[in-house]
Amino acid sequence: MPRPSLQYYGASFIMFEASTIFLNMNWWMDKLGMTGSRLQLYNACALLFLYLTVRLLFGVYMSYKLFADLNANGSDMPISLCYFYRIANASIILLSYYWFYLMIAAVRKRFSPSKIAKDIKIE
């Protein structure tokens, strides 16, 4: 494997940050007193959908491809670098699943069914 290698995966894994826009919008809505608003609910839905598709589904697929390339071409790289890539990538994927769980818990807490029903009655 010629050096530098694996640039293709760098660009793919940068796509993980696509959900950051919606995360920042959610933070700003909290700071502007829009916590629990419909706009924040729609933003949370977009955030969860994008996070699920880009980070969890696409990310796991790209990790699989990375691991397959490392297995096929790993003999051309230092073994310590191969292990570093594997451990770092597996850590990111595991953390992504944990963060997704925390985001779902936060949305459930913020937008409980009784709270949404109360908002609809008021309007």
Side-chain angles (χ1 to χ4, degrees):
M1 182 179 298
R3 290 189 186 210
S5 57
L6 305 173
Q7 295 95 348
Y8 170 75
Y9 295 105
S12 298
F13 289 123
I14 289 292
M15 287 179 56
F16 276 25
E17 299 305 319
S19 60
T20 304
I21 297 166
F22 296 99
L23 184 63
N24 290 341
M25 286 173 45
N26 201 41
W27 182 84
W28 275 107
M29 285 184 219
D30 281 342
K31 299 303 173 202
L32 295 172
M34 299 175 70
T35 302
S37 67
R38 284 183 187 258
L39 181 60
Q40 193 173 39
L41 177 63
Y42 300 145
N43 183 63
C45 290
L47 170 63
L48 289 174
F49 175 75
L50 199 59
Y51 196 92
L52 175 71
T53 55
V54 173
R55 217 177 250 239
L56 299 183
L57 300 178
F58 178 72
V60 168
Y61 171 72
M62 291 308 294
S63 295
Y64 171 76
K65 288 187 66 153
L66 172 69
F67 288 171
D69 276 356
L70 286 174
N71 288 338
N73 302 319
S75 61
D76 297 339
M77 298 174 71
I79 193 72
S80 58
L81 188 58
C82 288
Y83 282 120
F84 173 77
Y85 279 138
R86 287 182 177 111
I87 292 169
N89 191 272
S91 300
I92 292 289
I93 294 298
L94 289 174
L95 280 172
S96 292
Y97 276 97
Y98 176 68
W99 292 329
F100 189 67
Y101 166 77
L102 291 179
M103 288 191 304
I104 289 175
V107 168
R108 281 186 170 171
K109 180 181 170 188
R110 183 169 290 162
F111 301 106
S112 64
S114 61
K115 195 175 197 181
I116 293 173
K118 198 183 297 182
D119 288 345
I120 291 172
K121 288 178 185 177
I122 292 173
E123 292 175 0

